[in-house]
Amino acid sequence: MAFATRHFVRAASSSAATAAAKKLLIKHVTVIGGGLMGAGIAQIAAASGHTVVLVDQSDEILKKSTKGIEESLKRVTKKKFADKPEAGAQFIEKTMKNLTTSTDAASVVHSTDLVIEAIVENLEVKNELFKTLDKFAPEHTIFASNTSSLAVTDMANATTRQDRFGGLHFFNPVPMMKLVEVIKTPMTSQKTFESLVDFSKAVGKSPVSCKDTPGFIVNRLLVPYMMEAVRLFERGDASKEDIDVAMKLGAGYPMGPFELLDYVGLDTSKYIIDGWHSLEPNNPLFAPSPLLNKLVQEKKLGKKTGEGFYKYK
């Protein structure tokens, strides 16, 4: 009986060790989308020693992305290697060697450990992408979306790997912002979740965990705050300038809500709040704003168009 017990303990320990060993060590990463977010994610992954393929629709876009990554790395090295320019040059060279580009996602995911999607915030387009890549990626490959407002569960359901699907929400600018939200859907396995957390730490970020709820943590708190600022202004309770000053000096925020709305893009903010309103039409936090709708209709989208709540030269 004692022998049987010892044998069972050894077997259980061996079993636990095997389960722990199965946690995926992510080495090869495919990033879909060469915009600001995708390029930023590709940069930090390559800089931390991962083999990275950055994918977009055209070589022209990818050339622009690559150039942007190089420029960003130069800014990073000026601070990181201020007294060692040679080490900085070597760091840039090594990082760029870890990065390649492609216009054919299906052909490059066959050997990847992690696919991170950072394309347009459109569920139908994202689902079509994941559905296609699901056919070509190996069984072990984890899929993740960088979405900031859409349900990760809906994307996972477009694939056959719901247990190997999660959210990795990075913040802009990716090389500078330390936070990443790791999103666990009801189907995400613990192994997948832990692998995504480990990857987040490996690229130098501080991961926080959240369930698949609208806006996750940051945007769920931030977007209603910005919308309430707009309503305060709409009612005539305070000027937008005074609201911005109050939140900067009274709450210690680096930007006031109207400055932040213009920085994010009024169209982006409207898209998010409209989506949440359709999900929970009776939630007053998600109520649309007539003023925000008007500005978007007039193409006054913030800093990127030269005018939003404020004018920019």
Side-chain angles (χ1 to χ4, degrees):
M1 185 68 181
F3 169 78
T5 304
R6 287 197 299 273
H7 180 73
F8 173 78
V9 169
R10 281 199 297 270
S13 301
S14 173
S15 206
T18 303
K22 284 183 179 178
K23 187 167 66 169
L24 181 63
L25 177 61
I26 295 167
K27 295 180 179 179
H28 304 282
V29 182
T30 301
V31 181
I32 314 292
L36 277 176
M37 294 302 295
I41 295 167
Q43 176 184 322
I44 61 168
S48 53
H50 298 83
T51 302
V52 182
V53 183
L54 180 61
V55 180
D56 212 305
Q57 293 176 323
S58 72
D59 289 322
E60 186 180 348
I61 294 171
L62 290 166
K63 281 179 185 175
K64 186 178 177 182
S65 303
T66 304
K67 185 179 178 183
I69 290 171
E70 284 188 276
E71 292 301 317
S72 177
L73 284 169
K74 286 176 184 176
R75 290 192 294 271
V76 170
T77 54
K78 275 185 181 179
K79 292 182 179 180
K80 191 174 181 180
F81 301 96
D83 302 324
K84 300 176 182 177
E86 287 184 9
Q90 289 174 357
F91 171 73
I92 293 174
E93 184 182 358
K94 188 176 180 181
T95 298
M96 295 309 294
K97 278 185 178 179
N98 288 337
L99 177 68
T100 55
T101 61
S102 176
T103 55
D104 186 358
S107 70
V108 296
V109 297
H110 61 83
S111 60
T112 196
D113 299 319
L114 172 65
V115 173
I116 304 177
E117 167 274 316
I119 63 172
V120 63
E121 282 287 82
N122 181 300
L123 184 60
E124 191 176 332
V125 175
K126 290 180 189 286
N127 281 352
E128 192 59 38
L129 171 71
F130 282 124
K131 190 176 180 181
T132 301
L133 297 184
D134 192 37
K135 300 172 185 175
F136 295 94
E139 187 179 343
H140 79 276
T141 304
I142 295 171
F143 283 8
S145 175
N146 182 58
T147 184
S148 60
S149 62
L150 300 173
V152 178
T153 303
D154 290 345
M155 293 175 236
N157 284 333
T159 74
T160 59
R161 62 184 75 219
Q162 289 97 333
D163 61 322
R164 286 150 288 153
F165 204 116
L168 278 178
H169 181 218
F170 292 86
F171 290 78
N172 187 36
V174 178
M176 304 300 294
M177 299 293 278
K178 294 292 291 181
L179 183 68
V180 58
E181 293 175 322
V182 183
I183 312 307
K184 189 176 185 181
T185 78
M187 303 94 73
T188 306
S189 72
Q190 186 63 21
K191 182 181 80 170
T192 295
F193 172 73
E194 290 175 8
S195 298
L196 291 174
V197 168
D198 287 351
F199 171 74
S200 301
K201 291 177 181 176
V203 297
K205 301 303 178 188
S206 297
V208 294
S209 171
C210 186
K211 291 182 179 178
D212 189 19
T213 184
F216 314 134
I217 297 173
V218 173
N219 283 338
R220 182 60 180 262
L221 297 174
L222 187 62
V223 174
Y225 149 73
M226 292 191 295
M227 293 302 296
E228 190 59 23
V230 176
R231 294 183 193 108
L232 194 67
F233 175 50
E234 281 178 318
R235 292 193 300 267
D237 294 338
S239 70
K240 58 182 182 291
E241 292 84 2
D242 282 352
I243 294 169
D244 277 350
V245 169
M247 293 311 295
K248 285 189 286 187
L249 301 186
Y253 288 10
M255 285 185 187
F258 293 97
E259 292 172 327
L260 187 56
L261 280 160
D262 278 355
Y263 178 78
V264 169
L266 304 193
D267 53 337
T268 301
S269 301
K270 173 177 160 53
Y271 179 83
I272 292 171
I273 207 69
D274 285 352
W276 294 358
H277 180 64
S278 67
L279 290 173
E280 299 183 30
N282 297 320
N283 189 333
L285 292 175
F286 300 160
S289 156
L291 177 56
L292 181 64
N293 291 344
K294 180 175 179 288
L295 289 170
V296 171
Q297 190 175 13
E298 293 171 351
K299 306 296 183 187
K300 297 174 181 176
L301 309 180
K303 292 193 79 170
K304 60 186 173 185
T305 59
E307 184 175 357
F309 284 102
Y310 296 111
K311 289 185 179 180
Y312 304 88
K313 292 182 180 179

